[in-house]
Amino acid sequence: MSPLCCLALLSASLLATAPRIPLPEGFTYPNGIAHAEDGTLFVGSVSSGRVLQRKPGGAWQELFPGSDEVFSVTSLRLDAPRGLLWGTSPDVMGLLRPDGSLGRRPPRLFALEVRTGKVSRLVVVPEGGMGNDIAVAPDGGVYVTDSSRASVLYLRPGGERLETLVSDTRFQAQGTGMANVGPAGIALAKDGRTLAINTFGPGRLFLIRLGSGAPPTVTEVELPRRLENPDGMRFAPDGRLLVLEGAVDSGDGRLLRIDVLGPSPGPKKLEVLASGLESPVNLTVAKDGRIWLTEARLRERLLRGQEAKEPGEFWVTVRSG
């Protein structure tokens, strides 16, 4: 059987699975994902830098083939007003080596023209950093998590370089391999002034409040437990935060919902919407509540390095809102 990627539809009960929709052969390790208002999906590969698109009811097409400059895709976010598809391209496959070392290619932030698939913007992440996930503001500004330097970076609308928005010692991670990955997922709330970020290795969750003319403030969200390798996040239409747990150790990847902005005191409840996911890494959410998420199926590579066998198929999961 030829290796295939596929799109699986999870019912609202999380028990029934609809037929899988195959993606082009050879498209491996999906990560970055975004959608347009008409339901068009965009999916990027962390291992090749390829980006695919699929209109509702249509076939998958290659929007971007990958290149020497864009060699992986760990995040995708659509800036619809400007017709740009933003993404991050760190040499993250280096983390899958037995020694857990990063590759030598400088990480960068990029933007594709949605209409043509051409690279419109290319911004190198400051030396020593690792751009991981992104959030796009209504004005076109881009927020980027820096997994190596315990920071959140910011690209001003029309800007040419990334600057440090906030750096906090609580974002730091210690260890080897994936345990040493700090800020990962990032999401911008509807108010446009509140960012949520998590730390992949330590499993912590924070809110960053952006003030007008004042430095950002950082508060940790109190939780009943540490998150297990949290990664991609998005705010749902109802204002609650959707969080993916990659679960490298247990293998039980989960989709959580957390009311991080709610007024209730004490630890925030972790509501499990789906479990048993295989290395869930990123997601995107439609206005009607539909959730598309990527399962990278990277756990064996993370645990065993390059000797691990590549899975025979990959997929994106869709959950009804």
Side-chain angles (χ1 to χ4, degrees), residues 97-161:
R97 301 187 182 101
D99 64 355
S101 63
L102 281 169
R104 297 180 179 179
R105 293 174 292 186
R108 63 281 314 274
L109 175 71
F110 68 91
L112 304 177
E113 294 180 359
V114 174
R115 187 176 59 84
T116 64
K118 293 182 178 180
V119 177
S120 172
R121 301 289 305 281
L122 197 65
V123 181
V124 176
V125 174
E127 186 176 355
M130 176 188 151
N132 193 334
D133 200 8
I134 56 179
V136 179
D139 65 0
V142 183
Y143 301 98
V144 185
T145 52
D146 186 336
S147 297
S148 295
R149 300 192 307 162
S151 302
V152 175
L153 309 177
Y154 178 58
L155 181 70
R156 298 178 184 275
E160 297 296 329
R161 65 179 183 86

Side-chain angles (χ1 to χ4, degrees), residues 29 45-50 64-74 88-97 101-110 122-132 146 148 301 306:
Y29 301 115
S45 167
V46 70
S47 58
S48 68
R50 293 176 65 193
F64 180 72
S67 69
D68 291 339
E69 295 178 325
V70 179
F71 39 78
S72 72
V73 180
T74 57
T88 43
S89 185
D91 199 356
V92 73
M93 292 303 283
L95 289 172
L96 308 183
R97 301 187 182 101
S101 63
L102 281 169
R104 297 180 179 179
R105 293 174 292 186
R108 63 281 314 274
L109 175 71
F110 68 91
L122 197 65
V123 181
V124 176
V125 174
E127 186 176 355
M130 176 188 151
N132 193 334
D146 186 336
S148 295
R301 290 290 298 272
Q306 293 189 0

Side-chain angles (χ1 to χ4, degrees), residues 128-283:
M130 176 188 151
N132 193 334
D133 200 8
I134 56 179
V136 179
D139 65 0
V142 183
Y143 301 98
V144 185
T145 52
D146 186 336
S147 297
S148 295
R149 300 192 307 162
S151 302
V152 175
L153 309 177
Y154 178 58
L155 181 70
R156 298 178 184 275
E160 297 296 329
R161 65 179 183 86
L162 286 159
E163 56 191 81
T164 299
L165 175 75
V166 60
S167 184
D168 195 299
T169 57
R170 290 172 291 177
F171 298 166
Q172 291 178 348
Q174 294 182 343
T176 59
M178 300 306 288
N180 199 39
V181 177
I186 186 169
L188 181 65
K190 189 181 298 184
D191 63 7
R193 307 300 302 172
T194 304
L195 288 165
I197 75 157
N198 60 48
T199 53
F200 188 90
R204 301 169 75 176
L205 182 63
F206 300 89
L207 293 179
I208 300 174
R209 308 282 186 175
L210 306 174
S212 299
T217 60
V218 180
T219 57
E220 184 166 5
V221 178
E222 189 178 357
L223 301 173
R225 63 170 174 83
R226 289 290 180 97
L227 301 174
E228 189 180 8
N229 306 126
D231 208 338
M233 303 192 299
R234 293 283 278 182
F235 279 96
D238 64 5
R240 289 180 287 183
L241 183 67
L242 299 168
V243 183
L244 293 173
E245 287 186 291
V248 174
D249 288 336
S250 73
D252 182 19
R254 291 170 290 269
L255 169 63
L256 307 179
R257 183 163 57 195
I258 311 173
D259 189 11
V260 296
L261 302 179
S264 60
K268 300 296 184 180
K269 179 182 178 181
L270 304 180
E271 183 181 357
V272 180
L273 301 183
S275 60
L277 302 171
E278 298 185 47
S279 305
V281 284
N282 223 312
L283 75 164

Side-chain angles (χ1 to χ4, degrees), residues 297-317:
R297 306 193 72 189
L298 282 167
R299 184 168 179 259
E300 285 299 308
R301 290 290 298 272
L302 294 175
L303 296 177
R304 299 176 56 203
Q306 293 189 0
E307 66 184 43
K309 184 179 179 181
E310 184 177 287
E313 59 180 5
F314 297 86
W315 57 82
V316 173
T317 302

